[in-house]
Amino acid sequence: EELIRQRLASFLGTLFVKVKLSGGDLAVLKAVATAAGDVTSSPSDLVREGCSSAQVLVVAAGSEGSEGLRAYATRLLNAETLSAEEAEGLGTCLFDAALPARLQVMCAHILRVRYETKEEWVGLLRAQQATLVHADVNKGKEREWRVVQIAEPFD
């Protein structure tokens, strides 16, 4: 069931930021707005076909996730780009196995669909580098690598 919820979060996030929406896409956004009910939206929230970014976030992830990760997800849903420092913060959240996966998946897929900016790549790469656990190879200690594939192999 959790895997299905992660896929839903990925799908809804990428659908919401998609450039050109089809008739089926519009129907999904209307259904999301209905399912979300009376969600409080901010004046800065992006609204597409009557569905706000706040509504997408609620349907996709409920109340799960840290305040920081929810803020990054909201910004990405609102079509904002991140500075290198902000993207590094997002990357740290993406690589943190202790955080719930739904928002991680949503954020990673939004970046993938709309393409990362140069600054976002720099920040994500810094965060990725920080996840590497280094050990002294000369002393026979193993080296642990924690790597997340951000792009698909055919890119």
Side-chain angles (χ1 to χ4, degrees):
E1 186 174 317
E2 179 55 27
L3 183 57
I4 292 170
R5 291 180 186 273
Q6 291 171 21
R7 288 181 179 170
L8 176 66
S10 168
F11 172 75
L12 292 178
T14 56
L15 175 70
F16 192 75
V17 301
K18 189 175 165 184
V19 175
K20 186 176 179 181
L21 298 172
S22 70
D25 298 338
L26 300 177
V28 171
L29 290 179
K30 287 178 184 175
V32 168
T34 301
D38 294 330
V39 172
T40 304
S41 295
S42 164
S44 62
D45 283 347
L46 184 63
V47 177
R48 299 194 70 192
E49 300 300 322
C51 180
S52 73
S53 57
Q55 290 171 314
V56 171
L57 189 62
V58 165
V59 171
S63 61
E64 96 168 6
S66 67
E67 185 177 320
L69 187 53
R70 291 183 72 79
Y72 289 126
T74 298
R75 291 193 55 203
L76 293 174
L77 286 168
N78 287 329
E80 296 178 32
T81 58
L82 306 176
S83 69
E85 291 75 24
E86 292 166 331
E88 185 174 356
L90 172 60
T92 300
C93 291
L94 293 179
F95 299 127
D96 186 347
L99 291 177
R102 280 184 237 166
L103 287 176
Q104 291 171 319
V105 169
M106 176 188 274
C107 290
H109 284 110
I110 288 173
L111 289 171
R112 164 69 178 87
V113 167
R114 72 144 167 87
Y115 298 109
E116 301 85 351
T117 64
K118 179 182 175 184
E119 291 78 20
E120 289 169 340
W121 265 115
V122 167
L124 291 169
L125 290 172
R126 284 183 195 155
Q128 182 183 31
Q129 182 65 33
T131 67
L132 300 177
V133 176
H134 300 281
D136 187 347
V137 177
N138 294 330
K139 293 186 179 179
K141 294 183 181 176
E142 291 186 19
R143 189 172 193 169
E144 178 184 342
W145 295 88
R146 292 173 51 202
V147 179
V148 174
Q149 180 178 330
I150 297 174
E152 294 184 273
F154 57 83
D155 285 345

